[in-house]
Amino acid sequence: MKLKVLNISHDTLTYGAGPHMSLDKLLPALLECFGIILCGYVAGRADIVTESQAKGLGNFVSKFALPALLFKNMVLLDFGNVIWAFLWSVLVAKVVVFVLVCVLTLMVASPDSRYSKAGLYAIFATQSNDFALGYPIVDALYRSTYPEYLQYIYLVAPVSLMLLNPIGFALCEVQRWRQASHPQRSTLSILGVVVLQVLKNPVVFMVIVGIISHFALSSQIPVVLTEFIDGLANSFGGAALFYLGLTMVGQLRKLTRDTGVALILLITAKLLVMPLVCKDMVDILDIGVNGTSANHTSLSNFAFLYGVFPTAPSVAIYAGHYNMELEVVTSGMVISTFLSAPIMYVSAWLLTIPLMDPTPLVTELENVSFNISIISLIGLVWTIGVMLLSRKFNQLPHLFVLNLFLAQLLVCASMILWNVLGKQEDNLLSKILTFTMLYGSLYSTYIWTGMSLMKTQSSDCLCPCRVPFLMVGGLLISGERTDTIDSAFFYGTVNGYCHKAARDLPPVNLSSCLWWLFNKDPGRLYLELQFFCAVANYGQGFLSFGIFGLDKHLITLPFMKRLLSQWQGREGEDLSPSAVPEEVRLTCTQFVRYHKDQCVQDIVHTRRYEYYCSNLKSVFRGSDLVDWLVERGLCVGRTQAKLYAVRLLQGGVFHQLTGQHDFRDEPTVLYRFSQDERWSTNT
């Protein structure tokens, strides 16, 4: 089936006589940035880049590449082209959001974590990923029209770090001081710690050095240093995005149901409230200075896009440093990063469109839903196949998850069918049947999602799943059919209320439904909200595919094992006793002859690992083997025990279930003893 594409010429849509954004370069820039992020995530997930290697890359990015980039741009910065009203507008917007989040958190949070939550949540909502992700997006949009906008990235980020982050750090220090069993720090000592932490930040430090050098060197970098600084600065972009992908590995596992509400509110504040406040502040504060020029509208739009930039990964580092709110901050960083891509694209798209007749805009929205449904449908077919092959569907809660996938599949198929039938004036019966299938299955996805997250072990919970189709049945009886092509209002305002009552994204859906109920002409904000609704409803398959479609034990790790074996020639590797090093041979022989049977008896626990492996014979945890070697006196300390285990792994005494070729002293990594007896017979 051929995808429908948006048929809008952005080159001809401008605000009056003013220049426009280079929207044709935005999509390639987004694909470049998020493609590199995805590569980093895959590399970390598949252990191509280990945790220690990722840490080294992060140190290079933050302590070498980024300082060089900041120094270069601060020295070359042209202060004459800076519109200070815009800079102050963005800073005031950040202060407003920071204070709002901070005060609300202090009001509702529990006393035992009130100050740390207020500090970290406020930083989360205001600190953007300006350099790694923001700069290439701004460069793609404004390089050919307003190249001076690029310098605002280097001005806003460090100033906000010096003004706002210290307040958040101070609140975290206060929380740490209150939780200490013997508090000894004074207010002056807390202030000193905060100031020192701010000065140690490479962004702040190099900005200060760069500004001093700007005046000392007359805005020119010495020729002898130019190539050196350029080399480091140019290495920042790709390395930073790749490292961002590495930092996302395993972060969503830390998310719990208890932190879900806080996470939704934080992401709303960062991706929706922040851009709106930025735009409004520019409209208010810049109007007297720059209001008569065509540049004012573009500055206002740029402020909105700047506010959409996702949270910087450094916020997760702050949370880890204070060991506070790590689950919310790390998960929020991942989710906000990937949500920012569609938000930035649709925002830029809508900001380039002048006031138009609403009918073609709603039609374009339907086309977006159609395209998303097709791609999501493909991902769901794959995901359901993986679920069936893994044979987990006959267990709870995997049974609920499978029903969720089937409901999502039906949603996508119904949306595709609705897009075809919605444009036909006849076939009323087909429209009603399609409408019933679409919204019955859509409402079912919300219920199945909730049931999948429940800790129930009973299949008696299937009764509530009849509710969605009862709702649709009541709607068909009581609703008044309309001629709109928007399926959400095919049965008039009653349909809108049902839609509002049933949806997993309350703020967005409530706003969009109320808009349509009281105003039949869609505005830009309504279209943006509806776009997010379409992504959330018809793009559920993306999330399902990302979580379950690349099953670690069925897809990802076997593929990596096969790839590594072909690349490194491991399938032909000679593991005979005469081919391995002497120390490996002696260790394996000693262990197999005198200790293996007792070790198997002590550390192999079949029932514990039934989720991970269908063949449970001889399965054990890496940390259990290290514990056993230390307890039995075969090794002194965990470091020596780990080396001992590495030799056993090299000799083929056991192997990792996932097919990796390294040993980890971790309770989550599983191994299986091999049945090869070559070491027991070797002399």
Side-chain angles (χ1 to χ4, degrees), residues 595-637:
H595 307 293
K596 180 180 177 181
D597 292 339
Q598 186 63 44
C599 182
V600 171
Q601 182 178 348
D602 292 341
I603 71 173
V604 172
H605 304 286
T606 301
R607 293 184 180 178
R608 182 182 298 172
Y609 314 116
E610 58 187 357
Y611 174 80
Y612 297 96
C613 181
S614 57
N615 182 10
L616 306 175
K617 188 176 181 180
S618 301
V619 175
F620 63 94
R621 300 189 298 190
S623 58
D624 288 344
L625 177 59
V626 173
D627 292 338
W628 189 89
L629 292 172
V630 175
E631 292 171 0
R632 287 285 172 170
L634 294 178
C635 301
V636 180

Side-chain angles (χ1 to χ4, degrees), residues 195-226:
V195 173
L196 180 61
Q197 187 166 346
V198 172
L199 293 178
K200 287 171 58 179
N201 190 309
V203 175
V204 176
F205 178 77
M206 287 308 298
V207 165
I208 295 175
V209 174
I211 292 177
I212 295 174
S213 302
H214 171 85
F215 296 101
L217 301 176
S218 301
S219 303
Q220 290 185 350
I221 300 176
V223 178
V224 69
L225 295 178
T226 300

Side-chain angles (χ1 to χ4, degrees), residues 369-386:
S369 302
F370 178 79
N371 294 341
I372 292 175
S373 297
I374 290 181
I375 302 175
S376 187
L377 182 68
I378 298 173
L380 284 168
V381 171
W382 173 277
T383 305
I384 293 174
V386 170

Side-chain angles (χ1 to χ4, degrees), residues 28 98 120 140 185 191 202 206 218 235 240 261 292 313 319 330 405 416 481 505 529 577 615 634 665:
F98 188 96
L120 289 173
R185 286 187 177 181
L191 182 62
M206 287 308 298
S218 301
S235 67
V261 176
T292 58
T330 53
F405 295 160
I416 295 172
R481 185 172 58 83
L505 289 175
L529 293 174
N615 182 10
L634 294 178
D665 179 13

Side-chain angles (χ1 to χ4, degrees), residues 519-574:
N519 186 358
K520 300 301 182 182
D521 294 327
R524 283 196 185 89
L525 181 58
Y526 168 79
L527 288 173
E528 190 156 356
L529 293 174
Q530 283 297 95
F531 178 88
F532 300 147
C533 290
V535 172
N537 289 326
Y538 309 118
Q540 294 181 57
F542 290 108
L543 184 60
S544 299
F545 175 79
I547 297 177
F548 297 95
L550 300 177
D551 185 87
K552 181 176 182 180
H553 303 286
L554 188 66
I555 304 294
T556 308
L557 292 176
F559 173 77
M560 293 306 304
K561 178 182 177 181
R562 182 69 178 176
L563 182 63
L564 288 173
S565 65
Q566 293 293 332
W567 186 11
Q568 301 177 2
R570 290 186 181 271
E571 285 189 339
E573 196 172 40
D574 187 6

